[in-house]
Amino acid sequence: MEFNAIQILLVGVWAFIVGIDQFDLLESLWQPIVTGAVIGAILGDLKTGLLVGGTYQLMTIGNMPVGGAQPPNAIIGGVMATVFAIASGLEATAAVGLAVPFALFGQYMNTLLFTVMSPLMSKADKMAEAGDTKGIVRMNYLAMGALGLLYAIVCIGGLMGGSALGNTLQGIADKYGWIMNGLDAGGKMMRFVGFAILLRIMLSNELWGIYFAGFALATIIGYIPGLSGSALLLVAFVGIAIALNDFQTRVALKQNAGSGNGGDEDGI
C-alpha cells in the first residue's frame, strides 16, 4: 500500500505532537489506543487502527516509566504497528511484533536524548538565578521541539521504509550491541534513582510499615502463577484502599475536632 504526501505529513505531525504530549502536555494523546485510532483514520482504516491500538495498549499497560527508565516506546511502537497492519494487511498481534524494533529504538533514542540534554539543567538553574524567564521558556520549547522531532523522524522513516527499516534497526542494535546494552543498563539504573527520589520526598516514619508490607505483598503475589501478571494492579488496589481509609479517618477526626461536641458537660 502506497501512502501519499499528505498522509505522510499528517503522521509526522501527529508523532511530533504525541512525542511532546507524553512528557509535557500530559493529555494522554500518546496512549496507543488513541494513537492507533488517529493513525488509522489518517491512513483510511479507522477500524484496524482501533484494533491495533487496543492490542498494543494491552501489551504496554503495565510498562510504567519510573525516573529516567523508559520501557519500549509506546508511541513509536503503536504508530508503526498500525502502519504495518494497514499497509500489509497483517493481524494485530503480528503487526505489534513487527513494530518491536521501532519501539526499542525509540527507547534507546529517548535515553540518549535525555542524556545529551541533562547538562541543560545547570544552565536553566543559572537562568533562574538571573531571572531570565524568557531564556527558560526558550529552553523548554527547544527541548520539546527536539523530542517531538525525534518521534516524527522515526515514524516517517518507518512509514516510508516499512519492514526493511525495521530489519535495519535490528541489525544496528545487533552490530553495536555494546552501545545499546549501555543505554539499556543506564535506563534500568535510573528506575532505582527515581524510586529513591520519590521515597526521599514522600516517605515519612509512619509509612515505613506500609512500604515494607507492599513490597512483601508484591513479592508473594508475583510468585503465584495465576496472579503474577496482574500483581502490580492488585497491589495498587490495596494501596488505594489503604489511602482511602486513611483519608476518611483523618477527615472524620478533623470534623469531630471542629464540631464542638464533647467536653466536660457531655460527660467526657
Side-chain angles (χ1 to χ4, degrees), residues 62-104:
N63 293 342
M64 298 297 293
V66 178
Q70 298 297 316
N73 193 269
I75 297 175
I76 296 175
V79 170
M80 295 316 305
T82 306
V83 169
F84 288 140
I86 295 175
S88 304
L90 297 174
E91 294 290 335
T93 52
V96 168
L98 193 59
V100 167
F102 290 89
L104 292 174

Coordinates of all heavy atoms in Angstrom, one line a residue, residues 62-104:
G62 N 1.2 -2.3 31.6 CA 2.0 -2.4 32.9 C 3.4 -1.8 32.7 O 4.1 -1.9 33.7
N63 N 3.7 -1.2 31.6 CA 5.0 -0.7 31.4 C 5.0 0.8 31.8 O 4.6 1.7 31.0 CB 5.4 -0.8 29.9 CG 5.7 -2.2 29.5 OD1 5.9 -3.1 30.3 ND2 5.7 -2.4 28.2
M64 N 5.4 1.1 33.0 CA 5.3 2.4 33.5 C 6.8 3.0 33.6 O 7.6 2.3 34.2 CB 4.7 2.5 34.9 CG 3.2 2.0 34.9 SD 2.2 3.1 33.9 CE 2.3 4.6 34.9
P65 N 7.0 4.2 33.0 CA 8.3 4.8 33.2 C 8.5 5.2 34.6 O 7.7 5.9 35.2 CB 8.3 6.0 32.2 CG 6.8 6.3 32.1 CD 6.1 5.0 32.2
V66 N 9.7 4.9 35.2 CA 10.0 5.2 36.6 C 11.3 6.0 36.6 O 12.3 5.4 36.1 CB 10.1 4.0 37.5 CG1 10.5 4.5 38.9 CG2 8.8 3.2 37.5
G67 N 11.3 7.2 37.0 CA 12.5 8.0 37.0 C 12.9 8.3 35.5 O 12.1 8.7 34.7
G68 N 14.1 7.9 35.2 CA 14.6 8.1 33.8 C 14.5 6.8 33.0 O 14.9 6.7 31.8
A69 N 14.0 5.7 33.6 CA 13.9 4.4 32.9 C 12.7 4.4 32.0 O 11.6 4.6 32.4 CB 13.8 3.3 33.9
Q70 N 12.9 4.1 30.7 CA 11.8 4.1 29.8 C 11.6 2.7 29.2 O 12.5 2.0 28.8 CB 12.2 5.0 28.6 CG 12.3 6.5 29.0 CD 11.1 7.1 29.5 OE1 10.0 6.9 29.0 NE2 11.2 7.8 30.6
P71 N 10.4 2.2 29.2 CA 10.1 0.9 28.6 C 10.1 1.1 27.1 O 10.2 2.2 26.6 CB 8.7 0.6 29.1 CG 8.1 1.9 29.4 CD 9.2 2.8 29.9
P72 N 10.0 -0.1 26.3 CA 9.9 0.1 24.9 C 8.9 1.1 24.5 O 7.7 1.1 25.0 CB 9.5 -1.4 24.4 CG 10.2 -2.2 25.5 CD 10.0 -1.5 26.8
N73 N 9.2 2.0 23.6 CA 8.5 3.2 23.4 C 7.1 2.9 22.8 O 6.9 2.3 21.8 CB 9.2 4.1 22.4 CG 8.6 5.5 22.4 OD1 7.7 5.8 21.6 ND2 9.1 6.4 23.3
A74 N 6.0 3.3 23.6 CA 4.7 3.0 23.2 C 4.2 3.9 22.0 O 3.4 3.4 21.3 CB 3.8 3.2 24.4
I75 N 4.7 5.1 21.9 CA 4.3 5.9 20.8 C 4.8 5.4 19.5 O 4.0 5.1 18.5 CB 4.8 7.4 21.0 CG1 4.3 8.0 22.3 CG2 4.5 8.2 19.8 CD1 4.8 9.3 22.6
I76 N 6.1 5.2 19.3 CA 6.6 4.8 18.0 C 6.1 3.3 17.7 O 5.8 3.0 16.6 CB 8.2 4.8 18.1 CG1 8.6 6.3 18.2 CG2 8.8 4.2 16.8 CD1 10.1 6.5 18.3
G77 N 6.1 2.5 18.8 CA 5.6 1.1 18.6 C 4.2 1.1 18.1 O 3.8 0.4 17.2
G78 N 3.3 1.9 18.8 CA 1.9 2.0 18.4 C 1.7 2.5 17.0 O 0.9 2.0 16.2
V79 N 2.4 3.5 16.6 CA 2.3 4.1 15.3 C 2.7 3.1 14.2 O 2.0 2.8 13.3 CB 3.1 5.4 15.1 CG1 3.2 5.8 13.7 CG2 2.6 6.5 16.0
M80 N 3.9 2.5 14.4 CA 4.4 1.5 13.4 C 3.5 0.3 13.4 O 3.4 -0.3 12.3 CB 5.8 1.2 13.7 CG 6.8 2.4 13.6 SD 6.4 3.4 12.1 CE 6.5 2.2 10.8
A81 N 3.0 -0.2 14.5 CA 2.1 -1.4 14.5 C 0.9 -1.1 13.6 O 0.5 -2.0 12.8 CB 1.8 -1.8 15.9
T82 N 0.3 0.1 13.8 CA -0.8 0.4 13.0 C -0.5 0.6 11.5 O -1.2 0.1 10.6 CB -1.4 1.8 13.5 OG1 -1.7 1.7 14.9 CG2 -2.7 2.1 12.7
V83 N 0.7 1.1 11.2 CA 1.1 1.3 9.8 C 1.3 -0.1 9.2 O 0.8 -0.4 8.0 CB 2.4 2.1 9.7 CG1 3.1 2.0 8.3 CG2 2.2 3.5 10.1
F84 N 2.0 -1.0 9.9 CA 2.2 -2.3 9.3 C 0.9 -3.1 9.1 O 0.7 -3.8 8.1 CB 3.1 -3.2 10.2 CG 4.5 -2.7 10.2 CD1 5.3 -2.6 11.4 CD2 5.1 -2.3 9.0 CE1 6.6 -2.2 11.4 CE2 6.4 -1.8 9.0 CZ 7.2 -1.8 10.2
A85 N -0.1 -3.0 10.1 CA -1.3 -3.7 9.9 C -2.1 -3.2 8.7 O -2.7 -4.0 8.0 CB -2.1 -3.5 11.2
I86 N -2.1 -1.9 8.5 CA -2.9 -1.3 7.4 C -2.2 -1.5 6.1 O -2.8 -1.9 5.1 CB -3.2 0.2 7.6 CG1 -4.1 0.4 8.9 CG2 -3.8 0.8 6.4 CD1 -4.3 1.8 9.3
A87 N -0.9 -1.3 6.0 CA -0.1 -1.4 4.8 C 0.0 -2.8 4.3 O 0.0 -3.0 3.1 CB 1.3 -0.7 5.0
S88 N 0.2 -3.7 5.2 CA 0.5 -5.1 4.8 C -0.7 -6.1 5.1 O -0.6 -7.3 4.8 CB 1.7 -5.6 5.5 OG 2.8 -4.8 5.3
G89 N -1.7 -5.6 5.7 CA -2.9 -6.4 6.0 C -2.6 -7.5 7.0 O -3.2 -8.6 7.0
L90 N -1.7 -7.2 8.0 CA -1.3 -8.1 9.0 C -2.3 -8.2 10.1 O -3.1 -7.2 10.3 CB 0.1 -7.8 9.6 CG 1.3 -7.8 8.6 CD1 2.5 -7.2 9.4 CD2 1.5 -9.2 8.1
E91 N -2.3 -9.3 10.8 CA -3.1 -9.4 12.1 C -2.5 -8.4 13.1 O -1.4 -8.1 13.0 CB -3.1 -10.8 12.6 CG -3.8 -11.8 11.7 CD -5.3 -11.6 11.7 OE1 -5.9 -11.1 12.7 OE2 -6.0 -12.0 10.7
A92 N -3.4 -8.0 14.0 CA -2.9 -7.0 15.0 C -1.7 -7.5 15.8 O -0.8 -6.8 16.0 CB -4.1 -6.7 16.0
T93 N -1.8 -8.8 16.2 CA -0.6 -9.3 17.0 C 0.6 -9.4 16.2 O 1.7 -9.1 16.7 CB -1.0 -10.7 17.6 OG1 -1.4 -11.6 16.5 CG2 -2.1 -10.6 18.6
A94 N 0.5 -9.8 14.9 CA 1.7 -9.8 14.1 C 2.3 -8.4 13.8 O 3.5 -8.2 13.8 CB 1.4 -10.5 12.8
A95 N 1.4 -7.5 13.7 CA 1.9 -6.1 13.4 C 2.6 -5.5 14.7 O 3.6 -4.8 14.6 CB 0.7 -5.2 13.1
V96 N 2.0 -5.9 15.8 CA 2.7 -5.4 17.1 C 4.1 -6.0 17.2 O 5.0 -5.3 17.6 CB 1.8 -5.8 18.3 CG1 2.6 -5.6 19.6 CG2 0.5 -5.0 18.3
G97 N 4.2 -7.3 16.9 CA 5.5 -7.9 17.0 C 6.5 -7.3 16.0 O 7.7 -7.1 16.3
L98 N 6.0 -6.9 14.8 CA 6.9 -6.3 13.8 C 7.4 -4.9 14.2 O 8.4 -4.4 13.8 CB 6.2 -6.3 12.4 CG 7.0 -6.0 11.2 CD1 8.1 -7.0 11.0 CD2 6.1 -6.0 9.9
A99 N 6.6 -4.3 15.0 CA 6.9 -2.9 15.4 C 7.8 -2.9 16.6 O 8.3 -1.8 17.0 CB 5.6 -2.2 15.8
V100 N 8.1 -4.0 17.2 CA 9.0 -4.0 18.4 C 10.4 -3.4 18.2 O 10.8 -2.6 19.0 CB 9.2 -5.5 19.0 CG1 10.3 -5.5 20.0 CG2 7.8 -5.9 19.6
P101 N 11.1 -3.7 17.0 CA 12.4 -3.0 16.8 C 12.3 -1.5 16.9 O 13.2 -0.8 17.4 CB 12.8 -3.5 15.5 CG 12.1 -4.8 15.3 CD 10.8 -4.6 16.0
F102 N 11.2 -0.9 16.3 CA 11.0 0.5 16.4 C 10.7 1.0 17.8 O 11.2 2.1 18.2 CB 9.8 0.9 15.5 CG 10.0 0.7 14.0 CD1 9.7 -0.5 13.4 CD2 10.5 1.8 13.3 CE1 9.9 -0.6 12.1 CE2 10.7 1.6 11.9 CZ 10.5 0.4 11.3
A103 N 10.0 0.2 18.6 CA 9.7 0.6 20.0 C 11.0 0.6 20.8 O 11.3 1.5 21.6 CB 8.7 -0.3 20.6
L104 N 11.9 -0.4 20.6 CA 13.1 -0.5 21.3 C 14.1 0.7 20.8 O 14.7 1.3 21.6 CB 13.8 -1.8 21.0 CG 13.1 -3.0 21.6 CD1 13.8 -4.3 21.1 CD2 13.1 -3.0 23.1

